[in-house]
């Protein structure tokens, strides 16, 4: 069948600059570039180009430009080029459209319509370079009041759940070994350890060689139960039951057998080369009381020493669901918004199911406070954070901490080309191909992660200091320090903030 | 709820003067010295709010709650009185005596009620104090034009719009005798001529005067709402009063704990503490992080047996303490102490987050009948 698909990108090569070094040929796993020895020319098959810019970035003479194909269909607001091409793809294959990364649709990004406050005259702003500025954050259940027990030898606050100590209110989101390479997992683990925060294994188990970073690891228990065994639970600092994911609420996951290498098969405890299928629901959780059973089973299995988180996708009734989760005994509620990332998801689900994290967060924080149970669990939010401005606004809306997934991958080189599901990631991140995965040096990648989180932390400190605040907990849920710009009355009410000028 | 809220700002933005004096032996003095002391710091206020809290002023009715109220009109008064009669034994109702002075204009109706909760109205497991808090919240939130500005036993708050010494003369404070006096002069930047917004803020016998601005107000308020405190005045001082009530009365914490919550030590400092102390300080910040009062403040918190001075954790507002025999003074500035006390033995400046605690002596507690 003749394909009607027009390439998305154009590859332009400046022949004067090109020295025929063939870096682009070797770097492109999609085989876009080809060197013809006879003609001494490099050619490009643009139909394969995903726009990841690996070749552009590594070209030593800057001879390459990749730009959007300017070819136009007749102007039509409804039938855009993208809609057309998607329809052709399905007409040619009969398949469900697959994609990677988070939803990039033109849904409102509320962070961009929220602005922060600063001190002027009546209270002094604080310079974090000269004065203390505290970002330390504790995740876990807290009692409503302090009652110390255990005397001098083992002082402990009555009712205080096990706590995660974060030196900055940012963690790395759940990304499974399988979706990403071993080196990428190691980089995340190293960076989290150095930063005094945590990374999340996702649902793919934990490679034995990474157990040494266990104190900074949150181990996930998902519907496929891959790699869940006593040592895995024991190695973790905290456990997370994954109910849903912002990029694909309501559906499960599928790691194709070709990606299940020997190491992955050992880690996930499945036969080499077999598909790893995560069912849409947990088949032992058909309601809230079942979830409570699993929460307590995990607590029992780890001798009540580790906090248990429950992660859900942000959907219409998140507030009520979160309330149930807290009452079911979770120490942390993690909520993943519609812009949250993924290694693979059906395009239509990613782009159409779920709600923006800003609204879900505001609703959940409000509900837990209205029910007087906000102390009983921490709120961690994920899905769509791009910079420290987004993070600090999330904290002011009521989050205890945030999960960063895509920003972490970007720090390591990801260019958000959305082809994670192909396993051919040119940046060595979302791949199991040894030729590609060795491109990511765990030490250097960890350095990039640490740098970025440190930079964001500094920026958060500057913004806190500007507000005359020197501890993050004084901003958490402090929505008076936020104002909306260009939002409707209903949106402002849902977010619990005033409009700028009010 | 008072009606005349002109500006719906997040909270008030104010600089201020504060002054407190306590005779630890329970000896009473009239309102003259405290009025002179606060007047000496006139440039710290701008005539838009002044007030006093006085302890030991109603010895004959020391067992009854003294509810002092402001009303916009008699309609609000009648509605409030009906509410009070439905839940309390009313021993006495009277207008608060005032003198008409040129400095004070447009006062609201000012009444006080000496009451005892009706036992039959108390919920199961509810103490009288909790009941009174609930009643105060009801009036302040639900009754249009009425506001309870003090609700303790054997004490009263007197406050209004004007310079503090003018407000004091208006309320004839020289006719009251108290063992603890606390005063406040206000310099708000959002100029509301609004009686409810003056300090001290009070709930039961806890009163707070405050110099500063709480940058964490938004979360402090939302946290207290979880425990049934509804902030009606849009002032950060109100949250301090409720936080004190929650921590000391309802949660039974010590004053040192209160200081560690409201002006928490830095984590660097906590990490170096001895084990037991570290565990306690860590737990306090974990549990009550939302009550950390961030931003510049110096405050005087008082009840029938104690007077506590405290500054914020990095000491952005002034506070100085002084001793003269049984008298303890806490003030924004040192000069007023010298003005009214010739025998001042010693003065000192506490560090940020270090509470100054003056406590009534045991024998005095019995004499003034302020035992718990």
């Amino acid at each position: 069948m003749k394909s009607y698909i027009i390439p998305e990108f154009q590859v332009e090569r400046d022949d004067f600059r090109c020295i025929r070094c063939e870096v682009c040929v070797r770097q492109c796993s999609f085989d876009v570039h080809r060197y013809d020895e006879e003609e001494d020319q490099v050619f490009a098959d643009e139909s394969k180009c995903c726009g990841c810019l690996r070749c552009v970035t590594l070209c030593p003479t800057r001879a390459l430009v990749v730009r959007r194909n300017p070819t136009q269909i007749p102007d039509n607001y409804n039938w855009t080029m993208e809609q057309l091409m998607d329809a052709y793809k399905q007409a040619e294959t009969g398949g469900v459209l697959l994609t990677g990364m988070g939803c990039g649709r033109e849904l409102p990004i509320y962070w961009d319509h929220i602005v922060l406050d600063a001190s002027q005259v009546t209270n002094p702003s604080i310079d974090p370079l000269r004065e203390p500025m505290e970002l330390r954050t504790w995740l876990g259940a807290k009692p409503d009041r302090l009652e110390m027990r255990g005397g001098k030898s083992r002082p402990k606050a009555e009712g205080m759940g096990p706590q995660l100590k974060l030196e900055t209110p940012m963690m790395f989101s759940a990304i499974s070994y399988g979706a990403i390479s071993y080196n990428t997992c190691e980089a995340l683990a190293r960076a989290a350890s150095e930063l005094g925060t945590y990374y999340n294994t996702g649902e793919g188990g934990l490679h034995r060689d990474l157990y040494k970073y266990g104190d900074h690891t949150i181990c996930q228990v998902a519907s496929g139960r891959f790699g869940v065994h006593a040592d895995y639970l024991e190695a973790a600092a905290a456990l997370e039951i994954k109910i849903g994911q912002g990029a694909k609420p309501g559906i499960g996951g599928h790691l194709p057998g070709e990606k299940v290498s020997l190491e992955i098969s050992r880690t996930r405890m499945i036969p080499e080369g077999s598909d790893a299928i995560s069912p849409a629901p947990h088949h032992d959780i058909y309601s809230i009381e079942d979830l409570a059973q699993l929460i307590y089973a995990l607590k029992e299995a780890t001798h009540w020493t580790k906090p248990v988180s429950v992660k859900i996708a942000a959907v219409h009734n998140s507030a009520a669901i979160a309330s149930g989760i807290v009452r079911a005994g979770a120490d942390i509620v993690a909520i993943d918004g519609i812009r949250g990332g993924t290694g693979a998801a059906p395009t239509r689900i990613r782009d159409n199911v779920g709600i923006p994290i800003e609204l879900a967060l505001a609703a959940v924080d409000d509900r837990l406070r209205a029910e007087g149970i906000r102390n009983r669990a921490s709120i961690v939010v994920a899905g769509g954070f791009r910079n420290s401005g987004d993070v600090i606004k999330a904290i002011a809306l009521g989050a205890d901490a945030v999960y960063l997934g895509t920003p972490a991958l970007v720090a390591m080189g990801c260019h958000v080309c959305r082809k994670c599901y192909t396993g051919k990631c040119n940046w060595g991140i979302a791949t199991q191909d040894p030729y590609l995965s060795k491109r990511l040096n765990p030490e250097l990648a960890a350095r990039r992660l640490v740098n970025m989180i440190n930079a964001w932390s500094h920026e958060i400190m500057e913004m806190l200091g500007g507000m005359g605040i020197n501890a993050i907990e004084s901003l958490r849920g402090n929505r008076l320090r936020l104002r909306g710009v260009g939002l409707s009355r209903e949106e402002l009410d849902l977010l619990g903030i005033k409009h700028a000028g009010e | 709820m008072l009606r005349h809220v002109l500006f719906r700002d997040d909270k008030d933005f104010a600089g201020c003067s504060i002054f407190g004096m306590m005779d630890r032996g329970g000896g009473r003095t009239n309102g003259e010295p405290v009025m002179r002391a606060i007047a000496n710091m006139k440039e710290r206020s701008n005539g838009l709010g002044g007030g006093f809290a006085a302890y030991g002023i109603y010895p004959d009715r020391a067992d009854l709650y003294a509810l002092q109220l402001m009303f916009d009109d008699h309609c609000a008064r009648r509605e409030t009185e009906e509410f009070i009669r439905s839940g309390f034994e009313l021993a006495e109702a009277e207008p608060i005596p005032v003198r008409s002075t040129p400095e004070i204009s447009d006062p609201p109706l000012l009444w006080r009620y000496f009451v005892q909760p009706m036992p039959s109205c108390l919920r199961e497991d509810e103490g009288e104090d909790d009941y009174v808090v609930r009643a105060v919240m009801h009036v302040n939130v639900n009754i249009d034009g009425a506001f309870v500005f003090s609700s303790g036993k054997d004490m009263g708050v007197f406050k209004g719009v004007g310079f503090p010494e003018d407000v004091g003369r208006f309320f004839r404070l020289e006719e009251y005798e108290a063992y603890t006096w606390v005063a406040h002069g206000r310099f708000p930047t959002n100029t509301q001529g609004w009686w409810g917004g003056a300090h001290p803020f009070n709930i039961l016998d806890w009163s707070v005067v405050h110099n500063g601005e709480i940058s964490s107000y938004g979360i402090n308020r939302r946290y207290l709402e979880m425990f049934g405190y509804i902030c009606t005045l849009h002032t950060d001082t109100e949250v301090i009063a409720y936080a004190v009530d929650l921590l000391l009365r309802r949660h039974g914490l010590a004053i040192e704990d209160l200081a560690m919550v409201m002006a928490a030590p830095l984590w660097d400092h906590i990490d170096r503490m001895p084990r037991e102390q570290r565990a306690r300080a860590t737990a306090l910040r974990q549990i009550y992080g939302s009550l950390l009062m961030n931003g510049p403040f110096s405050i005087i918190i008082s009840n029938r047996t104690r007077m506590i001075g405290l500054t914020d954790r990095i000491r952005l507002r002034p506070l100085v303490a002084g001793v003269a025999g049984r008298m303890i003074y806490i003030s924004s500035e040192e000069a007023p102490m010298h003005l009214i006390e010739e025998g001042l033995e010693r003065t000192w400046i506490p560090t940020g987050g270090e509470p100054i605690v003056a406590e009534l002596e045991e024998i005095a507690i019995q004499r003034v009948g302020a035992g718990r």
Side-chain angles (χ1 to χ4, degrees), chain B residues 206 243-258 301 303 306 308:
Chain B
W206 289 106
V244 168
D245 185 62
L246 177 74
L247 295 173
L248 296 187
R249 183 178 65 84
R250 284 172 60 183
H251 289 184
L253 297 184
I255 287 169
E256 293 70 28
D257 294 332
L258 173 89
I301 304 162
N303 74 354
R306 282 179 288 202
I308 305 151

Side-chain angles (χ1 to χ4, degrees), chain A residues 253-498:
Chain A
H254 179 180
L255 185 72
E258 52 265 38
K259 288 190 188 171
V260 180
S261 64
L262 178 64
E263 290 300 316
I264 288 180
S265 94
R266 280 184 179 155
T267 305
R268 291 203 177 209
M269 304 194 306
I270 53 173
E272 198 177 340
S274 66
D275 288 7
I277 295 184
S278 297
H282 288 243
H283 283 300
D284 53 356
I285 302 179
Y286 282 8
S287 186
I288 190 76
E289 63 272 23
D290 299 335
L291 174 68
Q293 281 188 4
L294 181 58
I295 291 172
Y296 287 112
L298 291 175
K299 287 186 177 192
E300 280 292 338
T302 50
H303 318 290
W304 297 78
T305 58
K306 299 172 204 275
V308 173
S309 166
V310 175
K311 178 181 174 181
I312 53 167
V315 290
H316 302 183
N317 296 315
S318 289
I321 297 161
S323 164
I325 288 171
V326 175
R327 291 179 190 284
D331 301 275
I332 299 166
V333 183
I335 317 159
D336 192 9
I338 189 169
R339 292 189 298 272
T342 177
T347 309
R348 297 296 169 239
I349 285 182
R350 186 196 69 175
D351 288 353
N352 293 291
V353 183
I355 65 172
I357 191 62
E358 300 92 328
L359 298 172
L361 165 60
V364 169
D365 182 58
D366 277 345
R367 175 67 68 90
L368 297 187
R369 285 181 192 282
E371 295 188 17
I373 54 175
R374 180 64 181 82
N375 259 17
R376 276 166 55 181
S378 298
I379 299 176
V380 176
V381 288
F385 297 100
R386 301 155 300 171
N387 56 55
S388 60
D390 296 349
V391 173
I392 196 168
K393 288 169 195 172
I395 288 168
L397 269 185
D400 288 274
V402 302
Y403 268 140
L404 305 175
T406 305
L409 300 182
V410 168
M412 290 187 280
C414 167
H415 279 56
V416 198
C417 75
R418 298 171 299 170
K419 292 289 184 289
C420 328
Y421 62 95
T422 63
K424 290 181 168 183
C425 175
N426 275 321
W427 294 90
I429 297 168
T431 180
Q432 303 307 322
D433 181 344
Y435 178 73
L436 298 174
S437 63
K438 75 176 178 199
R439 292 179 182 179
L440 189 133
N441 175 328
E443 197 172 329
L444 295 180
R447 175 63 28 220
R448 296 180 73 96
L449 287 165
V450 169
N451 283 345
M452 189 187 76
I453 299 300
N454 280 340
W456 289 21
S457 300
H458 282 304
E459 290 171 339
I460 290 171
M461 289 187 203
E462 289 285 351
M463 287 185 269
L464 279 181
M467 285 185 264
I469 283 174
N470 60 9
I472 191 82
E473 61 258 45
S474 294
L475 186 68
R476 184 172 308 122
N478 191 348
R479 298 186 190 171
L480 284 180
R481 309 313 294 272
L482 299 174
R483 289 289 189 273
V485 184
L487 296 175
S488 69
R489 179 50 52 195
E490 189 156 29
E491 288 168 314
L492 292 168
D493 288 347
L494 290 169
L495 292 166
I497 62 175
K498 293 182 181 180

Side-chain angles (χ1 to χ4, degrees), chain A residues 122-123 134 136 470 473, chain B residues 10 213 215 267 271 285 313:
Chain A
T122 53
N123 64 353
E134 301 185 311
R136 189 180 291 180
N470 60 9
E473 61 258 45
Chain B
D10 291 347
E213 180 183 333
S215 309
W267 286 116
D271 290 344
R285 281 195 74 173
R313 61 207 305 244

